[in-house]
Short mmCIF file of all heavy atoms in Angstrom, two decimals:
data_model
loop_
_atom_site.label_atom_id
_atom_site.label_comp_id
_atom_site.label_asym_id
_atom_site.label_seq_id
_atom_site.Cartn_x
_atom_site.Cartn_y
_atom_site.Cartn_z
N MET A 20 -84.29 -2.16 84.15
CA MET A 20 -83.46 -3.13 84.83
C MET A 20 -82.58 -2.40 85.85
O MET A 20 -82.03 -1.34 85.57
CB MET A 20 -82.61 -3.88 83.80
CG MET A 20 -81.65 -4.87 84.42
SD MET A 20 -80.61 -5.71 83.23
CE MET A 20 -81.71 -7.04 82.79
N LEU A 21 -82.47 -2.97 87.03
CA LEU A 21 -81.69 -2.34 88.10
C LEU A 21 -80.24 -2.12 87.72
O LEU A 21 -79.66 -1.08 88.04
CB LEU A 21 -81.76 -3.18 89.37
CG LEU A 21 -83.04 -3.12 90.17
CD1 LEU A 21 -82.99 -4.10 91.34
CD2 LEU A 21 -83.30 -1.71 90.68
N ILE A 22 -79.65 -3.08 87.04
CA ILE A 22 -78.22 -3.00 86.71
C ILE A 22 -77.93 -1.76 85.85
O ILE A 22 -76.83 -1.22 85.88
CB ILE A 22 -77.76 -4.28 85.98
CG1 ILE A 22 -77.96 -5.50 86.87
CG2 ILE A 22 -76.31 -4.20 85.55
CD1 ILE A 22 -77.17 -5.50 88.16
N ASP A 23 -78.92 -1.27 85.12
CA ASP A 23 -78.73 -0.08 84.29
C ASP A 23 -78.44 1.16 85.14
O ASP A 23 -77.99 2.17 84.62
CB ASP A 23 -79.95 0.18 83.41
CG ASP A 23 -80.14 -0.92 82.37
OD1 ASP A 23 -79.14 -1.59 82.03
OD2 ASP A 23 -81.27 -1.10 81.91
N ARG A 24 -78.67 1.09 86.43
CA ARG A 24 -78.40 2.22 87.32
C ARG A 24 -76.92 2.29 87.70
O ARG A 24 -76.49 3.22 88.35
CB ARG A 24 -79.26 2.12 88.57
CG ARG A 24 -80.75 2.09 88.28
CD ARG A 24 -81.57 2.04 89.54
NE ARG A 24 -81.66 3.34 90.16
CZ ARG A 24 -82.53 4.30 89.82
NH1 ARG A 24 -83.38 4.08 88.84
NH2 ARG A 24 -82.55 5.44 90.46
N ILE A 25 -76.14 1.27 87.30
CA ILE A 25 -74.72 1.21 87.62
C ILE A 25 -73.91 1.65 86.40
O ILE A 25 -74.21 1.25 85.28
CB ILE A 25 -74.29 -0.23 88.02
CG1 ILE A 25 -75.17 -0.76 89.16
CG2 ILE A 25 -72.81 -0.27 88.37
CD1 ILE A 25 -75.11 0.03 90.44
N GLU A 26 -72.89 2.44 86.64
CA GLU A 26 -72.05 2.97 85.57
C GLU A 26 -70.59 2.67 85.87
O GLU A 26 -70.14 2.78 87.01
CB GLU A 26 -72.28 4.48 85.49
CG GLU A 26 -71.37 5.22 84.57
CD GLU A 26 -71.67 6.71 84.58
OE1 GLU A 26 -71.83 7.29 85.66
OE2 GLU A 26 -71.73 7.28 83.49
N ILE A 27 -69.86 2.29 84.82
CA ILE A 27 -68.41 2.11 84.94
C ILE A 27 -67.77 3.02 83.89
O ILE A 27 -67.98 2.83 82.69
CB ILE A 27 -68.00 0.64 84.72
CG1 ILE A 27 -68.64 -0.23 85.79
CG2 ILE A 27 -66.48 0.51 84.73
CD1 ILE A 27 -68.44 -1.72 85.58
N ASN A 28 -67.05 4.01 84.37
CA ASN A 28 -66.44 5.00 83.49
C ASN A 28 -65.03 5.26 84.01
O ASN A 28 -64.86 5.65 85.17
CB ASN A 28 -67.27 6.28 83.52
CG ASN A 28 -66.71 7.38 82.65
OD1 ASN A 28 -65.54 7.40 82.32
ND2 ASN A 28 -67.56 8.33 82.29
N PRO A 29 -64.00 5.03 83.20
CA PRO A 29 -62.62 5.22 83.65
C PRO A 29 -62.34 6.62 84.19
O PRO A 29 -61.39 6.82 84.94
CB PRO A 29 -61.78 4.94 82.41
CG PRO A 29 -62.67 4.35 81.41
CD PRO A 29 -64.09 4.62 81.81
N GLU A 30 -63.16 7.58 83.83
CA GLU A 30 -62.94 8.96 84.28
C GLU A 30 -63.70 9.30 85.57
O GLU A 30 -63.62 10.42 86.06
CB GLU A 30 -63.32 9.93 83.16
CG GLU A 30 -62.43 9.76 81.94
CD GLU A 30 -62.78 10.71 80.82
OE1 GLU A 30 -63.47 11.72 81.07
OE2 GLU A 30 -62.36 10.42 79.69
N VAL A 31 -64.43 8.34 86.10
CA VAL A 31 -65.19 8.56 87.33
C VAL A 31 -64.73 7.54 88.37
O VAL A 31 -64.84 6.34 88.16
CB VAL A 31 -66.71 8.43 87.09
CG1 VAL A 31 -67.49 8.60 88.39
CG2 VAL A 31 -67.19 9.42 86.05
N VAL A 32 -64.20 8.02 89.48
CA VAL A 32 -63.73 7.18 90.58
C VAL A 32 -62.84 6.03 90.07
O VAL A 32 -63.01 4.87 90.45
CB VAL A 32 -64.90 6.65 91.44
CG1 VAL A 32 -64.39 6.04 92.74
CG2 VAL A 32 -65.89 7.74 91.77
N LEU A 33 -61.91 6.39 89.17
CA LEU A 33 -60.93 5.43 88.64
C LEU A 33 -61.56 4.21 87.99
O LEU A 33 -60.99 3.12 88.00
CB LEU A 33 -59.95 5.00 89.74
CG LEU A 33 -59.17 6.14 90.41
CD1 LEU A 33 -58.38 5.60 91.60
CD2 LEU A 33 -58.27 6.83 89.41
N GLY A 34 -62.77 4.36 87.46
CA GLY A 34 -63.42 3.26 86.75
C GLY A 34 -64.14 2.26 87.64
O GLY A 34 -64.62 1.24 87.17
N LYS A 35 -64.24 2.55 88.94
CA LYS A 35 -64.99 1.66 89.83
C LYS A 35 -66.48 1.79 89.52
O LYS A 35 -66.94 2.87 89.13
CB LYS A 35 -64.73 2.00 91.29
CG LYS A 35 -63.33 1.67 91.74
CD LYS A 35 -63.19 1.84 93.22
CE LYS A 35 -61.82 1.37 93.66
NZ LYS A 35 -61.76 1.05 95.07
N PRO A 36 -67.25 0.74 89.72
CA PRO A 36 -68.70 0.83 89.49
C PRO A 36 -69.32 1.83 90.48
O PRO A 36 -69.07 1.77 91.69
CB PRO A 36 -69.21 -0.57 89.77
CG PRO A 36 -68.02 -1.46 89.80
CD PRO A 36 -66.84 -0.60 90.12
N VAL A 37 -70.09 2.77 89.94
CA VAL A 37 -70.77 3.79 90.74
C VAL A 37 -72.24 3.83 90.36
O VAL A 37 -72.65 3.31 89.33
CB VAL A 37 -70.16 5.19 90.54
CG1 VAL A 37 -68.71 5.24 90.98
CG2 VAL A 37 -70.29 5.67 89.11
N ILE A 38 -73.02 4.48 91.20
CA ILE A 38 -74.41 4.73 90.85
C ILE A 38 -74.41 5.78 89.74
O ILE A 38 -73.78 6.83 89.86
CB ILE A 38 -75.21 5.23 92.08
CG1 ILE A 38 -75.15 4.21 93.23
CG2 ILE A 38 -76.64 5.57 91.70
CD1 ILE A 38 -75.70 2.84 92.89
N ARG A 39 -75.09 5.47 88.64
CA ARG A 39 -75.10 6.34 87.47
C ARG A 39 -75.43 7.78 87.85
O ARG A 39 -76.36 8.04 88.62
CB ARG A 39 -76.12 5.83 86.45
CG ARG A 39 -76.08 6.59 85.13
CD ARG A 39 -76.97 5.94 84.09
NE ARG A 39 -76.58 4.58 83.77
CZ ARG A 39 -75.54 4.25 83.00
NH1 ARG A 39 -74.78 5.18 82.49
NH2 ARG A 39 -75.29 2.98 82.74
N GLY A 40 -74.62 8.71 87.33
CA GLY A 40 -74.85 10.13 87.56
C GLY A 40 -74.33 10.64 88.90
O GLY A 40 -74.55 11.79 89.25
N THR A 41 -73.64 9.76 89.65
CA THR A 41 -73.08 10.16 90.94
C THR A 41 -71.63 9.68 91.00
O THR A 41 -71.13 9.04 90.08
CB THR A 41 -73.83 9.53 92.14
OG1 THR A 41 -73.45 8.15 92.26
CG2 THR A 41 -75.33 9.66 92.00
N ARG A 42 -70.99 9.97 92.09
CA ARG A 42 -69.65 9.45 92.36
C ARG A 42 -69.73 8.50 93.56
O ARG A 42 -68.74 8.29 94.26
CB ARG A 42 -68.69 10.60 92.62
CG ARG A 42 -68.52 11.51 91.40
CD ARG A 42 -67.55 12.65 91.64
NE ARG A 42 -66.19 12.20 91.87
CZ ARG A 42 -65.33 11.83 90.93
NH1 ARG A 42 -65.70 11.85 89.67
NH2 ARG A 42 -64.11 11.45 91.24
N ILE A 43 -70.90 7.92 93.79
CA ILE A 43 -71.11 7.01 94.91
C ILE A 43 -70.79 5.59 94.44
O ILE A 43 -71.53 5.00 93.65
CB ILE A 43 -72.56 7.07 95.44
CG1 ILE A 43 -72.90 8.50 95.86
CG2 ILE A 43 -72.75 6.10 96.60
CD1 ILE A 43 -74.37 8.72 96.19
N PRO A 44 -69.67 5.02 94.94
CA PRO A 44 -69.28 3.68 94.50
C PRO A 44 -70.20 2.59 95.05
O PRO A 44 -70.67 2.67 96.19
CB PRO A 44 -67.87 3.50 95.08
CG PRO A 44 -67.41 4.87 95.48
CD PRO A 44 -68.66 5.65 95.78
N VAL A 45 -70.42 1.58 94.24
CA VAL A 45 -71.18 0.40 94.67
C VAL A 45 -70.50 -0.18 95.92
O VAL A 45 -71.16 -0.57 96.88
CB VAL A 45 -71.25 -0.65 93.54
CG1 VAL A 45 -71.76 -1.98 94.04
CG2 VAL A 45 -72.11 -0.12 92.39
N GLU A 46 -69.18 -0.23 95.91
CA GLU A 46 -68.42 -0.76 97.03
C GLU A 46 -68.76 -0.06 98.34
O GLU A 46 -68.91 -0.71 99.38
CB GLU A 46 -66.92 -0.60 96.74
CG GLU A 46 -66.02 -1.01 97.88
CD GLU A 46 -64.56 -0.63 97.63
OE1 GLU A 46 -64.24 -0.07 96.56
OE2 GLU A 46 -63.75 -0.89 98.53
N LEU A 47 -68.92 1.25 98.31
CA LEU A 47 -69.26 2.02 99.51
C LEU A 47 -70.62 1.58 100.06
O LEU A 47 -70.77 1.36 101.26
CB LEU A 47 -69.29 3.51 99.21
CG LEU A 47 -69.78 4.38 100.36
CD1 LEU A 47 -68.62 4.69 101.30
CD2 LEU A 47 -70.41 5.63 99.84
N ILE A 48 -71.59 1.42 99.18
CA ILE A 48 -72.93 1.01 99.60
C ILE A 48 -72.87 -0.38 100.25
O ILE A 48 -73.42 -0.59 101.33
CB ILE A 48 -73.90 1.02 98.40
CG1 ILE A 48 -74.08 2.46 97.90
CG2 ILE A 48 -75.23 0.39 98.77
CD1 ILE A 48 -74.78 2.58 96.57
N LEU A 49 -72.17 -1.30 99.60
CA LEU A 49 -72.06 -2.66 100.13
C LEU A 49 -71.33 -2.66 101.47
O LEU A 49 -71.73 -3.36 102.40
CB LEU A 49 -71.35 -3.56 99.14
CG LEU A 49 -72.04 -3.74 97.78
CD1 LEU A 49 -71.16 -4.52 96.84
CD2 LEU A 49 -73.39 -4.39 97.95
N ARG A 50 -70.26 -1.89 101.57
CA ARG A 50 -69.49 -1.84 102.82
C ARG A 50 -70.34 -1.30 103.95
O ARG A 50 -70.37 -1.85 105.06
CB ARG A 50 -68.23 -1.00 102.64
CG ARG A 50 -67.32 -1.09 103.86
CD ARG A 50 -65.97 -0.42 103.76
NE ARG A 50 -65.52 -0.02 102.45
CZ ARG A 50 -65.60 1.23 101.96
NH1 ARG A 50 -66.11 2.19 102.68
NH2 ARG A 50 -65.13 1.52 100.76
N LYS A 51 -71.05 -0.20 103.69
CA LYS A 51 -71.89 0.41 104.73
C LYS A 51 -72.98 -0.57 105.19
O LYS A 51 -73.24 -0.69 106.38
CB LYS A 51 -72.52 1.71 104.23
CG LYS A 51 -71.52 2.82 103.97
CD LYS A 51 -70.95 3.34 105.25
CE LYS A 51 -70.07 4.55 105.00
NZ LYS A 51 -69.41 5.00 106.22
N LEU A 52 -73.60 -1.26 104.25
CA LEU A 52 -74.63 -2.24 104.61
C LEU A 52 -74.03 -3.37 105.43
O LEU A 52 -74.62 -3.81 106.41
CB LEU A 52 -75.31 -2.79 103.36
CG LEU A 52 -76.23 -1.82 102.60
CD1 LEU A 52 -76.65 -2.42 101.26
CD2 LEU A 52 -77.44 -1.45 103.43
N SER A 53 -72.83 -3.82 105.06
CA SER A 53 -72.18 -4.91 105.80
C SER A 53 -71.78 -4.49 107.20
O SER A 53 -71.65 -5.32 108.09
CB SER A 53 -70.96 -5.45 105.04
OG SER A 53 -69.87 -4.55 105.14
N GLU A 54 -71.58 -3.19 107.39
CA GLU A 54 -71.22 -2.67 108.72
C GLU A 54 -72.45 -2.41 109.58
O GLU A 54 -72.32 -1.94 110.71
CB GLU A 54 -70.41 -1.38 108.56
CG GLU A 54 -69.02 -1.62 107.96
CD GLU A 54 -68.30 -0.34 107.58
OE1 GLU A 54 -68.93 0.76 107.62
OE2 GLU A 54 -67.12 -0.42 107.22
N GLY A 55 -73.63 -2.68 109.03
CA GLY A 55 -74.85 -2.54 109.82
C GLY A 55 -75.70 -1.33 109.50
O GLY A 55 -76.74 -1.13 110.11
N ALA A 56 -75.27 -0.51 108.54
CA ALA A 56 -76.10 0.64 108.15
C ALA A 56 -77.39 0.12 107.51
O ALA A 56 -77.38 -0.90 106.82
CB ALA A 56 -75.35 1.53 107.17
N SER A 57 -78.46 0.84 107.74
CA SER A 57 -79.73 0.47 107.10
C SER A 57 -79.86 1.24 105.78
O SER A 57 -79.11 2.19 105.52
CB SER A 57 -80.90 0.83 108.01
OG SER A 57 -81.01 2.23 108.13
N GLU A 58 -80.82 0.83 105.00
CA GLU A 58 -81.09 1.56 103.76
C GLU A 58 -81.44 3.01 104.08
O GLU A 58 -80.98 3.93 103.41
CB GLU A 58 -82.23 0.88 103.01
CG GLU A 58 -82.53 1.49 101.66
CD GLU A 58 -83.62 0.72 100.96
OE1 GLU A 58 -83.46 -0.50 100.74
OE2 GLU A 58 -84.64 1.35 100.62
N ALA A 59 -82.22 3.21 105.13
CA ALA A 59 -82.59 4.58 105.54
C ALA A 59 -81.36 5.39 105.93
O ALA A 59 -81.28 6.58 105.60
CB ALA A 59 -83.58 4.52 106.71
N ASP A 60 -80.39 4.75 106.61
CA ASP A 60 -79.15 5.43 106.96
C ASP A 60 -78.43 5.93 105.71
O ASP A 60 -77.94 7.06 105.66
CB ASP A 60 -78.20 4.51 107.73
CG ASP A 60 -78.71 4.10 109.09
OD1 ASP A 60 -79.51 4.85 109.69
OD2 ASP A 60 -78.31 3.01 109.56
N LEU A 61 -78.36 5.07 104.70
CA LEU A 61 -77.69 5.44 103.45
C LEU A 61 -78.41 6.58 102.74
O LEU A 61 -77.78 7.51 102.25
CB LEU A 61 -77.59 4.23 102.52
CG LEU A 61 -76.63 3.13 102.95
CD1 LEU A 61 -76.79 1.92 102.04
CD2 LEU A 61 -75.20 3.63 102.91
N LEU A 62 -79.74 6.50 102.71
CA LEU A 62 -80.52 7.54 102.04
C LEU A 62 -80.37 8.88 102.76
O LEU A 62 -80.35 9.93 102.11
CB LEU A 62 -81.98 7.13 101.94
CG LEU A 62 -82.26 5.86 101.12
CD1 LEU A 62 -83.74 5.52 101.16
CD2 LEU A 62 -81.75 5.98 99.71
N ASP A 63 -80.24 8.85 104.08
CA ASP A 63 -80.01 10.08 104.85
C ASP A 63 -78.62 10.64 104.59
O ASP A 63 -78.44 11.85 104.44
CB ASP A 63 -80.19 9.84 106.35
CG ASP A 63 -81.64 9.68 106.77
OD1 ASP A 63 -82.53 10.09 106.00
OD2 ASP A 63 -81.87 9.14 107.87
N ALA A 64 -77.62 9.77 104.55
CA ALA A 64 -76.23 10.20 104.40
C ALA A 64 -75.92 10.66 102.97
O ALA A 64 -75.05 11.52 102.78
CB ALA A 64 -75.30 9.06 104.78
N TYR A 65 -76.60 10.10 101.99
CA TYR A 65 -76.34 10.41 100.59
C TYR A 65 -77.66 10.81 99.92
O TYR A 65 -78.36 9.96 99.35
CB TYR A 65 -75.71 9.19 99.88
CG TYR A 65 -74.44 8.74 100.57
CD1 TYR A 65 -74.46 7.72 101.50
CD2 TYR A 65 -73.22 9.37 100.30
CE1 TYR A 65 -73.31 7.32 102.16
CE2 TYR A 65 -72.07 8.99 100.95
CZ TYR A 65 -72.12 7.96 101.88
OH TYR A 65 -70.97 7.57 102.53
N PRO A 66 -78.01 12.08 99.97
CA PRO A 66 -79.32 12.54 99.47
C PRO A 66 -79.61 12.22 98.00
O PRO A 66 -80.76 12.09 97.63
CB PRO A 66 -79.26 14.06 99.68
CG PRO A 66 -78.21 14.27 100.72
CD PRO A 66 -77.23 13.16 100.56
N ARG A 67 -78.59 12.04 97.19
CA ARG A 67 -78.82 11.73 95.77
C ARG A 67 -79.12 10.24 95.56
O ARG A 67 -79.53 9.84 94.48
CB ARG A 67 -77.60 12.14 94.94
CG ARG A 67 -77.40 13.65 94.95
CD ARG A 67 -76.30 14.09 94.03
NE ARG A 67 -76.65 13.77 92.65
CZ ARG A 67 -75.76 13.71 91.67
NH1 ARG A 67 -74.50 13.93 91.91
NH2 ARG A 67 -76.14 13.42 90.45
N LEU A 68 -78.91 9.44 96.58
CA LEU A 68 -79.14 8.00 96.51
C LEU A 68 -80.63 7.70 96.67
O LEU A 68 -81.32 8.35 97.45
CB LEU A 68 -78.35 7.34 97.63
CG LEU A 68 -77.97 5.87 97.52
CD1 LEU A 68 -77.12 5.62 96.29
CD2 LEU A 68 -77.22 5.45 98.77
N THR A 69 -81.11 6.72 95.93
CA THR A 69 -82.51 6.29 96.04
C THR A 69 -82.57 4.82 96.47
O THR A 69 -81.56 4.11 96.41
CB THR A 69 -83.25 6.43 94.69
OG1 THR A 69 -82.69 5.47 93.77
CG2 THR A 69 -83.14 7.83 94.12
N THR A 70 -83.74 4.39 96.86
CA THR A 70 -83.93 2.99 97.22
C THR A 70 -83.56 2.10 96.04
O THR A 70 -82.90 1.07 96.21
CB THR A 70 -85.40 2.75 97.64
OG1 THR A 70 -85.65 3.49 98.82
CG2 THR A 70 -85.68 1.29 97.90
N ALA A 71 -83.95 2.49 94.85
CA ALA A 71 -83.62 1.69 93.66
C ALA A 71 -82.11 1.61 93.45
O ALA A 71 -81.60 0.58 93.00
CB ALA A 71 -84.29 2.29 92.43
N ASP A 72 -81.38 2.66 93.80
CA ASP A 72 -79.92 2.65 93.68
C ASP A 72 -79.31 1.62 94.63
O ASP A 72 -78.39 0.88 94.26
CB ASP A 72 -79.33 4.02 93.98
CG ASP A 72 -79.72 5.08 92.96
OD1 ASP A 72 -79.97 4.73 91.79
OD2 ASP A 72 -79.76 6.26 93.35
N VAL A 73 -79.80 1.56 95.85
CA VAL A 73 -79.29 0.60 96.83
C VAL A 73 -79.57 -0.82 96.33
O VAL A 73 -78.70 -1.69 96.36
CB VAL A 73 -79.92 0.83 98.23
CG1 VAL A 73 -79.50 -0.27 99.20
CG2 VAL A 73 -79.54 2.21 98.77
N HIS A 74 -80.76 -1.05 95.82
CA HIS A 74 -81.12 -2.37 95.29
C HIS A 74 -80.26 -2.70 94.07
O HIS A 74 -79.86 -3.86 93.88
CB HIS A 74 -82.60 -2.43 94.95
CG HIS A 74 -83.48 -2.32 96.15
ND1 HIS A 74 -84.85 -2.36 96.07
CD2 HIS A 74 -83.20 -2.18 97.46
CE1 HIS A 74 -85.36 -2.24 97.28
NE2 HIS A 74 -84.36 -2.13 98.14
N ALA A 75 -79.97 -1.70 93.25
CA ALA A 75 -79.11 -1.92 92.07
C ALA A 75 -77.71 -2.31 92.49
O ALA A 75 -77.09 -3.18 91.86
CB ALA A 75 -79.08 -0.67 91.20
N ALA A 76 -77.19 -1.70 93.54
CA ALA A 76 -75.85 -2.05 94.04
C ALA A 76 -75.82 -3.51 94.49
O ALA A 76 -74.87 -4.24 94.18
CB ALA A 76 -75.44 -1.12 95.18
N LEU A 77 -76.85 -3.93 95.20
CA LEU A 77 -76.93 -5.32 95.64
C LEU A 77 -77.07 -6.27 94.45
O LEU A 77 -76.41 -7.33 94.40
CB LEU A 77 -78.10 -5.51 96.61
CG LEU A 77 -77.95 -4.81 97.96
CD1 LEU A 77 -79.27 -4.83 98.71
CD2 LEU A 77 -76.85 -5.45 98.77
N ALA A 78 -77.88 -5.91 93.48
CA ALA A 78 -78.07 -6.74 92.30
C ALA A 78 -76.78 -6.83 91.50
O ALA A 78 -76.42 -7.91 90.99
CB ALA A 78 -79.20 -6.18 91.43
N TYR A 79 -76.06 -5.72 91.40
CA TYR A 79 -74.78 -5.71 90.68
C TYR A 79 -73.79 -6.67 91.36
O TYR A 79 -73.12 -7.46 90.69
CB TYR A 79 -74.21 -4.30 90.62
CG TYR A 79 -72.86 -4.25 89.96
CD1 TYR A 79 -72.74 -4.21 88.57
CD2 TYR A 79 -71.69 -4.26 90.72
CE1 TYR A 79 -71.50 -4.20 87.96
CE2 TYR A 79 -70.46 -4.25 90.11
CZ TYR A 79 -70.36 -4.21 88.74
OH TYR A 79 -69.12 -4.21 88.13
N ALA A 80 -73.71 -6.59 92.68
CA ALA A 80 -72.80 -7.47 93.42
C ALA A 80 -73.18 -8.93 93.21
O ALA A 80 -72.31 -9.78 92.97
CB ALA A 80 -72.81 -7.12 94.90
N ALA A 81 -74.45 -9.24 93.29
CA ALA A 81 -74.91 -10.62 93.10
C ALA A 81 -74.61 -11.11 91.69
O ALA A 81 -74.12 -12.23 91.51
CB ALA A 81 -76.40 -10.72 93.39
N GLN A 82 -74.85 -10.27 90.70
CA GLN A 82 -74.59 -10.66 89.32
C GLN A 82 -73.09 -10.85 89.08
O GLN A 82 -72.68 -11.80 88.41
CB GLN A 82 -75.14 -9.61 88.36
CG GLN A 82 -74.96 -10.00 86.90
CD GLN A 82 -75.55 -8.98 85.96
OE1 GLN A 82 -75.76 -7.83 86.30
NE2 GLN A 82 -75.81 -9.40 84.73
N THR A 83 -72.28 -9.99 89.66
CA THR A 83 -70.83 -10.11 89.51
C THR A 83 -70.33 -11.41 90.12
O THR A 83 -69.53 -12.13 89.52
CB THR A 83 -70.13 -8.89 90.15
OG1 THR A 83 -70.58 -7.70 89.50
CG2 THR A 83 -68.63 -9.00 90.03
N LEU A 84 -70.81 -11.74 91.31
CA LEU A 84 -70.40 -12.98 91.96
C LEU A 84 -70.91 -14.21 91.20
O LEU A 84 -70.23 -15.24 91.15
CB LEU A 84 -70.87 -13.01 93.40
CG LEU A 84 -70.12 -12.08 94.34
CD1 LEU A 84 -70.80 -12.05 95.70
CD2 LEU A 84 -68.68 -12.49 94.47
N ALA A 85 -72.08 -14.11 90.64
CA ALA A 85 -72.66 -15.24 89.90
C ALA A 85 -71.83 -15.58 88.67
O ALA A 85 -71.81 -16.74 88.24
CB ALA A 85 -74.09 -14.92 89.49
N HIS A 86 -71.12 -14.60 88.13
CA HIS A 86 -70.33 -14.83 86.92
C HIS A 86 -68.84 -14.97 87.22
O HIS A 86 -68.02 -15.04 86.32
CB HIS A 86 -70.56 -13.70 85.92
CG HIS A 86 -71.95 -13.72 85.37
ND1 HIS A 86 -72.98 -13.02 85.94
CD2 HIS A 86 -72.48 -14.40 84.33
CE1 HIS A 86 -74.08 -13.25 85.26
NE2 HIS A 86 -73.82 -14.08 84.30
N GLU A 87 -68.50 -15.06 88.49
CA GLU A 87 -67.11 -15.21 88.90
C GLU A 87 -66.67 -16.66 88.68
O GLU A 87 -67.42 -17.59 88.93
CB GLU A 87 -66.99 -14.83 90.38
CG GLU A 87 -65.60 -14.83 90.92
CD GLU A 87 -65.58 -14.36 92.36
OE1 GLU A 87 -66.30 -14.94 93.18
OE2 GLU A 87 -64.85 -13.41 92.65
N THR A 88 -65.46 -16.82 88.24
CA THR A 88 -64.90 -18.15 88.04
C THR A 88 -63.98 -18.47 89.21
O THR A 88 -63.09 -17.70 89.54
CB THR A 88 -64.10 -18.21 86.72
OG1 THR A 88 -64.97 -17.88 85.65
CG2 THR A 88 -63.51 -19.59 86.50
N ILE A 89 -64.21 -19.62 89.81
CA ILE A 89 -63.39 -20.07 90.93
C ILE A 89 -62.43 -21.14 90.42
O ILE A 89 -62.86 -22.11 89.79
CB ILE A 89 -64.25 -20.68 92.07
CG1 ILE A 89 -65.35 -19.71 92.50
CG2 ILE A 89 -63.39 -21.13 93.22
CD1 ILE A 89 -64.86 -18.46 93.15
N ILE A 90 -61.16 -20.96 90.68
CA ILE A 90 -60.16 -21.95 90.28
C ILE A 90 -59.56 -22.53 91.56
O ILE A 90 -58.95 -21.81 92.35
CB ILE A 90 -59.07 -21.31 89.42
CG1 ILE A 90 -59.69 -20.73 88.15
CG2 ILE A 90 -57.97 -22.33 89.09
CD1 ILE A 90 -58.75 -19.93 87.29
N LEU A 91 -59.80 -23.81 91.76
CA LEU A 91 -59.27 -24.49 92.93
C LEU A 91 -57.89 -25.04 92.64
O LEU A 91 -57.64 -25.57 91.56
CB LEU A 91 -60.20 -25.61 93.38
CG LEU A 91 -61.62 -25.16 93.77
CD1 LEU A 91 -62.47 -26.37 94.08
CD2 LEU A 91 -61.57 -24.22 94.93
N ARG A 92 -57.04 -24.93 93.61
CA ARG A 92 -55.68 -25.39 93.46
C ARG A 92 -55.39 -26.37 94.59
O ARG A 92 -55.77 -26.12 95.73
CB ARG A 92 -54.78 -24.16 93.51
CG ARG A 92 -53.35 -24.38 93.44
CD ARG A 92 -52.67 -23.06 93.47
NE ARG A 92 -52.23 -22.84 94.83
CZ ARG A 92 -51.33 -21.96 95.17
NH1 ARG A 92 -50.84 -21.14 94.29
NH2 ARG A 92 -50.96 -21.86 96.42
N SER A 93 -54.75 -27.45 94.28
CA SER A 93 -54.47 -28.43 95.35
C SER A 93 -53.35 -27.90 96.23
O SER A 93 -52.42 -27.24 95.77
CB SER A 93 -54.06 -29.77 94.74
OG SER A 93 -52.88 -29.63 94.01
N ALA A 94 -53.47 -28.17 97.52
CA ALA A 94 -52.46 -27.75 98.47
C ALA A 94 -51.34 -28.78 98.46
O ALA A 94 -51.57 -29.96 98.62
CB ALA A 94 -53.07 -27.64 99.87
N ASP A 95 -50.15 -28.31 98.28
CA ASP A 95 -48.99 -29.22 98.26
C ASP A 95 -48.21 -29.11 99.54
O ASP A 95 -48.11 -28.21 100.21
CB ASP A 95 -48.08 -28.90 97.08
CG ASP A 95 -48.73 -29.24 95.76
OD1 ASP A 95 -49.57 -30.15 95.73
OD2 ASP A 95 -48.40 -28.58 94.76
#
C-alpha cells in the first residue's frame, strides 16, 4: 500500500509526515508539485525519492482530506 511509504515520527522533522527512511516531508513534495515542478524534477532534486514515494505523498494528502471534518458556522 502506498500509504505505508509515509512515516510520522516525533523525532523526525518535528513529527511531520515524511517519506519513510528520509527527512523529505510530504508537504515539500506537494508544495513543489503545486508550484509546477514535475515528478522528474523532484526525482532529480531528491535522489532518494522514487516515483512510488511521490504517488504515496499524493495518496496521503487525498486520504487526509477525505477524512477531514468540515464544520460550517453561520456568519453573523
Side-chain angles (χ1 to χ4, degrees):
M20 177 182 275
L21 284 176
I22 299 298
D23 294 336
R24 302 182 78 82
I25 306 299
E26 172 180 47
I27 298 173
N28 179 338
E30 296 181 18
V31 178
V32 192
L33 302 172
K35 290 188 175 200
V37 298
I38 301 301
R39 186 172 299 284
T41 76
R42 297 180 65 79
I43 302 171
V45 168
E46 175 189 358
L47 173 85
I48 295 168
L49 298 173
R50 188 174 346 99
K51 294 290 186 185
L52 289 170
S53 75
E54 292 170 351
S57 68
E58 184 177 302
D60 294 334
L61 290 171
L62 298 177
D63 286 342
Y65 303 95
R67 295 186 63 199
L68 202 60
T69 67
T70 295
D72 294 332
V73 174
H74 294 180
L77 292 169
Y79 177 83
Q82 183 178 21
T83 299
L84 287 172
H86 292 91
E87 185 176 55
T88 301
I89 307 293
I90 299 173
L91 300 176
R92 177 179 99 163
S93 63
D95 291 332

